[in-house]
Amino acid sequence: MPQQDKPLAWIGSSKKDLMALPLEVRKFFGHALDFAQRGSKHDAAKVLKGFGGAGVLEVVEDDQDGTYRAVYTVKFAQAVFVLHCFNKKSKRGSETPKEDMDIIRARLKVAEALAKEL
């Protein structure tokens, strides 16, 4: 019997933030999230450091206006929780800005609470 796709759950403003990104970036992130929903991992998805394990992933995409990231978690069986979508503005290489890491940590706690309710 084929495995049922996990639903997507959007935490905070993540869906609104995704919709504000350029169309090609949205398509790319949507494709990567589709992989996650099917229990697979897109080639562009990497473990986000600082979360102790492979439960929090990020997808990075560039266009002429900058670098964009979508962060999601597959830690919970109930859904794929999209935690944050943003335009990376950090000037320090590939490091994720502290403000964005704080948002991701807070939204991960919300996702954990929602997963317990589901």
Side-chain angles (χ1 to χ4, degrees):
M1 195 163 105
Q3 181 183 347
Q4 179 119 11
D5 290 356
K6 286 185 182 181
L8 279 181
W10 302 88
I11 306 296
S13 62
S14 59
K15 187 169 189 177
K16 179 175 75 79
D17 297 339
L18 175 72
M19 298 312 288
L21 301 180
L23 178 62
E24 290 305 312
V25 174
R26 289 197 320 251
K27 285 181 182 178
F28 184 78
F29 288 166
H31 188 62
L33 289 169
D34 184 56
F35 270 71
Q37 286 182 273
R38 295 169 192 260
S40 190
K41 186 176 141 199
H42 191 277
D43 288 342
K46 306 278 187 261
V47 173
L48 183 60
K49 290 181 176 81
F51 292 92
V56 178
L57 298 125
E58 73 172 337
V59 181
V60 180
E61 179 67 343
D62 296 312
D63 79 354
Q64 70 273 9
D65 294 325
T67 299
Y68 303 90
R69 294 183 179 197
V71 179
Y72 62 94
T73 184
V74 293
K75 275 172 87 164
F76 311 107
Q78 297 84 344
V80 173
F81 290 92
V82 183
L83 303 174
H84 194 28
C85 297
F86 61 103
N87 182 347
K88 184 185 159 299
K89 295 183 174 93
S90 172
K91 303 293 181 245
R92 289 177 287 174
S94 62
E95 187 176 318
T96 304
K98 182 185 182 316
E99 304 81 44
D100 292 303
M101 291 298 282
D102 291 345
I103 289 169
I104 293 164
R105 280 190 188 89
R107 290 182 180 174
L108 184 60
K109 287 179 182 159
V110 171
E112 209 166 336
L114 284 173
K116 286 178 185 167
E117 288 177 21
L118 294 176

